[in-house]
Amino acid sequence: MDVKIADSWKDKLQNEFEKEYFTELTKFVKNEYQTHTVYPKGRLIFNAFDQCGFEQLKVVIIGQDPYHGEGQANGLCFSVNDGVKMPPSLINIFKEIQSDLGNPFPNSGNLERWAKQGVLLLNATLTVRAQNPGSHQNKGWEQFTDSVIKTISEEKEGIVFLLWGAFAQKKGEMINASKHKILSSAHPSPFAANRGFFGNKHFSQVNDYLQKNGQKPIAW
């Protein structure tokens, strides 16, 4: 199956695209786009991979679902398009960056600037029906993104994984902790941020780790 995804990832994931579950997933997603409003726009489904090539990869942040409100989702977890009001979780992420690193609060919630520096902003499910969170879960996306995480764990070294909340931490079971750095905390949502996300200092820890390994830090 020919999937429109960055070439560096296509080479790594081609076997996955040939599997029966992915064929069924593709049929489901195509039908959903034809019969409902689905986010993100079709051309942005694999935006996380298009913005952050396999060779440039330094950091992985794992989210759950794309945003389900109009104009929000752009294919990068926690990110919204320029000019879109920032959701509460993203505001809390920027608050922690400000507290941790002293960086000023940004004007835009578009995280493409992170992706271009080597941060894979990966949602476990890559599509969602408008105003219906979780509507595309258990259709095959999770199997695909599990394979992505396993591939990164097996074929790369020294990647920093940020696992916020129980859902992301479960994905951590597939990561080889002896060759990668795993940072876990509560989720940045308003329901959980005060239980360990605020004060986790993940952003400075990422940069310390990258610099110790001879890599350029991320401009958060």
Side-chain angles (χ1 to χ4, degrees):
M1 184 182 297
D2 184 35
V3 175
K4 290 182 171 58
I5 191 171
D7 288 342
S8 64
W9 287 101
K10 183 175 274 193
D11 293 344
K12 302 293 180 185
L13 301 172
Q14 189 58 49
N15 288 344
E16 215 60 26
F17 301 142
E18 307 296 339
K19 291 180 180 177
E20 185 176 349
Y21 88 87
F22 198 88
T23 301
E24 293 303 310
L25 171 63
T26 301
K27 287 178 189 171
F28 167 77
V29 170
K30 282 182 177 176
N31 183 64
E32 284 284 291
Y33 273 93
Q34 288 166 0
T35 56
H36 297 89
T37 300
V38 176
Y39 300 127
K41 292 179 179 176
R43 62 183 170 80
L44 296 175
I45 292 173
F46 294 105
N47 196 31
F49 303 92
D50 294 337
Q51 298 291 336
C52 176
F54 188 80
E55 302 309 324
Q56 289 72 46
L57 182 63
K58 298 177 180 178
V59 181
V60 179
I61 300 178
I62 299 174
Q64 193 159 358
D65 262 16
Y67 294 123
H68 54 86
E70 184 177 358
Q72 290 182 302
N74 63 7
L76 309 175
C77 73
F78 295 106
S79 174
V80 291
N81 288 311
D82 293 324
V84 174
K85 182 181 177 183
M86 294 182 200
S89 291
L90 184 56
I91 290 172
N92 286 341
I93 288 169
F94 288 139
K95 282 181 179 176
E96 176 57 25
I97 291 171
Q98 195 170 34
S99 168
D100 186 12
L101 298 170
N103 294 6
F105 210 89
N107 295 321
S108 172
N110 192 333
L111 302 182
E112 279 188 13
R113 62 188 182 277
W114 294 3
K116 291 182 185 301
Q117 297 177 77
V119 181
L120 181 68
L121 294 156
L122 181 67
N123 275 317
T125 303
L126 299 189
T127 54
V128 68
R129 197 184 290 184
Q131 309 304 330
N132 196 346
S135 49
H136 286 188
Q137 291 177 5
N138 303 314
K139 303 294 183 183
W141 277 131
E142 294 91 342
Q143 187 172 342
F144 171 70
T145 51
D146 281 357
S147 176
V148 171
I149 294 166
K150 287 176 189 169
T151 299
I152 294 168
S153 179
E154 290 168 6
E155 298 197 24
K156 302 283 280 186
E157 276 191 38
I159 303 297
V160 189
F161 289 85
L162 300 183
L163 308 181
W164 298 332
F167 179 86
Q169 286 160 23
K170 187 153 181 56
K171 295 274 192 187
E173 296 168 5
M174 292 168 286
I175 302 164
N176 183 343
S178 67
K179 56 189 285 209
H180 301 287
K181 178 81 168 175
I182 299 174
L183 298 174
S184 301
S185 80
H187 194 275
S189 81
F191 306 106
N194 286 315
R195 298 202 299 268
F197 179 78
F198 289 138
N200 67 17
K201 299 193 178 298
H202 279 184
F203 303 96
S204 59
Q205 289 187 67
V206 168
N207 284 349
D208 288 347
Y209 181 82
L210 292 175
Q211 287 178 297
K212 282 176 186 170
N213 285 276
Q215 297 206 68
K216 191 175 177 182
I218 306 296
W220 299 108

